Amino acid sequence: MAVESFFSQAFTGLSIGSILLLIALGLAIIYGSMGVINLAHGEFLMLGAYATWFMQSQLGVGLLGSLVFVFVMVAAFGWLLERTIVQFLYHRPLDTILATWGIGIMLQQGMRLLAGGELRYVELPGSLDVTLSLMGLELPLYRIFIIVLTVGLLAATWYLMKRTEFGMRLRAVTQNRAIAESYGINSKRVYSLTFAYGAGLAGVAGALVAPIKSVSPDMGTAFVVDAFMVVVMGGVGSLLGAVVSAGVLGELTAGVAYLLNDTLAKVLVFLTVIVVIRFRPQGLFPDRTRS
Amino acid sequence: MSQKWLLPLLGYVAFSVAILSVPAMVGDNVFLLNKYARYLALALPAVALALCWGQAGILNLGQGFSFGIGAYAIAMHLKLVASASNPGGLPDFMGWNNVGALPWFWEPFHSLGFAVLAGIGVPVLLASLLGWFMFRARIAGVFVAIITLAMLVVGNLLVVDQQRYTGGLNGMTDLAWLNVLGLQIDPYSRAFYYLTAGSLIAVLMAGFVLVRSKFGLILQAIRGNPERVRYFGYDVARYQSVAFATSAGVAGIGGMLYAMVLEFASPTFMAVPLSLAFVIWCAVGGRQSLLAAAIGAVVVNAIQGSLSEAFLDTAQLLVGGIFVLVVLFLPRGLGGLVEDTATRLHGAGARLRRGREAVEKSVDLPVKRGEVAK
């Protein structure tokens, strides 16, 4: 019994961690490569959730069918924002906090006007709305699906960053923009595409969390704070760091929530983040590049 | 030097006179007075932020933590006063949560003096500890922002969670009026407006002196280059901690006034959006000047207030848009705009004078006989 509940909590932690990672992935890329603290990330997620809701309730397209569309739509939106606003703030990183928060406020209110302020619900895909019983454990299939998809997105992102021409350009621009430009890399284009990719990931995250959390215009605020803790604790620009810190925070949340309660779990998680940043401001797994 | 003092001081005095003459202009419209008192109470956290962010370069995204503690401290006192006729003097929400007797840490809040002291002292103490913890390790920039944000979330979660002692999500409502030496101060009255305006003016004047003292100069130097200040032998972490703690105390005062003007305290005071709104007001006004930050808070709130009366839904949309534009085009806020215009005018005058002097001097450049001909 004790062993079973241990594994059950471990699975819950894994599930929380995968959602955290899913949300933080786009943020980690944008913050890690451009130093932009994108507080509108939560609103990108909210846009993704609403797009999924709209597809399902108005057009009858299921969650799985709308994932690609959601990615493209939110990515295009992110690209537009980068071109019009964010690109002017690269030399003022703290100001990006303020500008993106302003954008976030507008998106929230815009969505409230468009879709109304009430909570919206997205249905689980029928094929995934089952619970697996495995060695005495009850595992909701949708949670497993999120874990698998997160791993998939992580692998795709890793491949994009480390194995493609685009990723090489991005890493070059991140290391030294001026020298990268003198080799003929169009840094503006690299930045705007990266921002779009990060936004698209947030949109997919929004689509995936929509069935398990309720969809509302201000749903993003809580997510963006959590995602930030993951990214900063993991270390700027480190995918591995984001994975480990999402895992640690997820398991910690589940474990403490099991022993005490949900709120105290979150409190302890945030205090852990504070202590980690205090003693390792470079994060758990800092990116070893010269800046 | 005296001129450097004089112009800003005139600005501070003009602002003080302006806010003190508001009651004479609105007459007996106590609802307007209450609304303006609310704006002035909200100016205090913006001033606090200008102090630690604008002066020392410490971006505190969790100013609501101090603001909320101030609000809850005074709310605890006023709740006890309002609950005096209840059995055991127990606040209503404690009864609903099956709390049998008043918890020990509520007892001292029977005293107004203690509540006020706690509303300022607790934020100062906690900020000193957190500041000491952060700045000793030379944490700066984004990391300070994230730590303060995390601290804010912790505070908010705890207040919501400890429903038995804090009223949870509902907060503390139905507060009594402030009673100073037997005098009841209705939040919808001139007296309360003057209390708020007076507090803001006192803080601004103290801040005016502080910013221009040697202490203020060192803070600005730390903002510019902490490493160099350290080489000069200053204890940078101590200066940063003091600035951080002072700012927390000011935010605490703001929180106390805000809870009184609204007649309730709620966990939303400690929620992320309000704290980021403080940052917005401060940035719109201009973080480099305490006065500009105060004006920023009043202006943004007034715009937001009048917009939401005119067309309810789009107000936030416009406020967000204004804010993005300010960050893009006026990085030093409205205050920076005024300053730049002033220096440009002043600079143009100085250039004119210098030019005239140069012309006058060039006339009697000594030229020796025969020099030109060769």
Side-chain angles (χ1 to χ4, degrees), chain A residues 52 56 61-68 125 127-128 142 145 149 208:
Chain A
T52 314
Q56 193 169 75
V61 182
L63 180 106
L64 298 178
S66 48
L67 278 182
V68 173
S127 54
L128 294 174
Y142 188 67
F145 171 72
L149 203 69
L208 289 173

Side-chain angles (χ1 to χ4, degrees), chain B residues 243-286:
Chain B
F244 191 62
T246 313
S247 152
V250 172
I253 299 174
M256 286 196 275
L257 291 165
Y258 193 60
M260 286 192 277
V261 77
L262 291 183
E263 296 178 83
F264 68 84
S266 127
T268 53
F269 295 3
M270 281 185 163
V272 175
L274 186 66
S275 283
L276 284 160
F278 295 158
V279 181
I280 292 185
W281 305 338
C282 180
V284 167

Side-chain angles (χ1 to χ4, degrees), chain A residues 251-266:
Chain A
E251 292 296 346
L252 195 63
T253 310
V256 181
Y258 177 67
L259 296 173
L260 301 166
N261 71 42
D262 282 343
T263 314
L264 288 181
K266 284 212 84 174

Side-chain angles (χ1 to χ4, degrees), chain B residues 124-135:
Chain B
V124 167
L125 185 73
L126 291 177
S128 309
L129 289 175
L130 185 66
W132 174 83
F133 181 72
M134 285 192 296
F135 300 128

Side-chain angles (χ1 to χ4, degrees), chain B residues 80-128:
Chain B
L80 283 178
V81 174
S83 317
S85 57
N86 290 4
L90 212 60
D92 48 10
F93 67 85
M94 288 194 187
W96 304 330
N97 288 293
N98 300 321
V99 178
L102 200 63
W104 59 269
F105 60 88
W106 267 75
E107 286 293 346
F109 283 90
H110 280 294
S111 142
L112 172 64
F114 181 86
V116 172
L117 207 66
I120 302 173
V122 174
V124 167
L125 185 73
L126 291 177
S128 309

